[in-house]
Amino acid sequence: MNTTASAHVQEQLVRIPWQDIVLEGELALPQSTRGVVLFAHGSGSSRHSPRNHYVARMLQNSGFSTLRMDLLTRDEESVDVVTRQLRFDISLLAQRLIGSTDWLRRQDSTRLLPMGYFGASTGAAAALIASAERPDQIGAVVSRGGRPDLAGSALARVHAPSLLIVGGHDVDVIPLNQQALQQIAAAESRMEIVPSATHLFEEPGTLELVGQLAAGWFQRFLKQLNGNRTETI
């Protein structure tokens, strides 16, 4: 585990064992943290996604730890560039996200923190499935430009408050989110449409709004059991 630290955030390169492979990730720990958010990246993306990196920084500034990990190994990513099959293996991605969740529960710095998921594109479906499999562990889910419909029947078992953020110009994805929202079991769930945003939220100010919405959602639903923040550094 390699570690770098800023004045307020400790950043660690981590290796997460899962079955017979190792997943790589970046764990960022603010000095006083109110919870940890795991990122599930979308199709063809990785932990180096500049959009998720931007949102992660906003969450860190709001007092949340973040874990951005690659759900595919480097060899798998090389194959997937050609076949494009693994990025749509939602069940596999969800199981690896669950494995990363369980790994965080074994780490001294994060084991007592409330946890949430932030999923993008197909990663949103993996996050919703994983939250259904770990209902006592995951306090909230946020989707950005996601495909929650790919979570299928698992949506009826999602009890974590779920926020589905969609671009106003992402016309193909809006109805898929609307349909998924009707199937999510959690009472505290809703869809937010960001005006003028396309699928990747590349328009000025749109990604910042995503970060604000996500931070507000996690602030609302990721609660410390003792009402206090945890010192990590």
Side-chain angles (χ1 to χ4, degrees), residues 148-209:
D149 56 298
L150 296 179
S153 61
L155 292 172
R157 297 185 289 112
V158 174
H159 294 282
S162 302
L163 175 64
L164 311 181
I165 306 174
V166 189
H169 290 172
D170 199 0
V171 294
D172 294 330
V173 173
I174 289 175
L176 298 176
N177 278 257
Q178 290 172 329
Q179 295 165 16
L181 184 64
Q182 295 175 354
Q183 300 176 54
I184 293 174
E188 294 282 357
S189 295
R190 72 170 190 261
M191 185 172 75
E192 287 281 354
I193 296 180
V194 177
S196 302
T198 52
H199 185 64
L200 295 180
F201 294 86
E202 296 175 307
E203 296 72 24
T206 58
L207 195 58
E208 182 179 6
L209 182 54

Side-chain angles (χ1 to χ4, degrees), residues 3 6 24 37 48 55 77-78 94 116-117 127 160 168 173-174 193-194 196 213-215 221 223 230:
T3 303
S6 67
E24 296 181 345
V37 177
H48 301 295
V55 173
E77 287 177 352
S78 297
Y117 290 146
V173 173
I174 289 175
I193 296 180
V194 177
S196 302
L213 289 169
F221 292 108
K223 304 293 186 181
T230 300

Side-chain angles (χ1 to χ4, degrees), residues 3 11 15 36 42 57 81-82 93 116-117 120 124 131 153 160 165 183 188 200 204-205 217 223:
T3 303
E11 296 182 347
R15 293 169 59 82
V36 57
R57 286 297 188 196
V81 168
V82 178
L93 301 180
Y117 290 146
S131 74
S153 61
I165 306 174
Q183 300 176 54
E188 294 282 357
L200 295 180
W217 195 256
K223 304 293 186 181

Side-chain angles (χ1 to χ4, degrees), residues 11-29:
E11 296 182 347
Q12 304 171 346
L13 299 179
V14 297
R15 293 169 59 82
I16 304 169
W18 185 82
Q19 296 188 0
D20 58 345
I21 65 169
V22 175
L23 303 173
E24 296 181 345
E26 297 179 16
L27 177 62
L29 300 162

Side-chain angles (χ1 to χ4, degrees), residues 21-77:
I21 65 169
V22 175
L23 303 173
E24 296 181 345
E26 297 179 16
L27 177 62
L29 300 162
Q31 185 170 3
S32 181
T33 184
R34 61 201 308 164
V36 57
V37 177
L38 292 79
F39 279 69
H41 300 290
S43 56
S45 187
S46 73
R47 74 176 192 271
H48 301 295
S49 161
R51 289 171 291 278
N52 281 346
H53 186 269
Y54 181 89
V55 173
R57 286 297 188 196
M58 291 189 67
L59 293 179
Q60 293 159 25
N61 290 337
S62 296
F64 292 102
S65 298
T66 61
L67 174 60
R68 295 178 296 115
M69 84 288 287
D70 292 328
L71 295 178
L72 299 178
T73 66
R74 294 180 183 179
D75 288 342
E76 289 172 337
E77 287 177 352

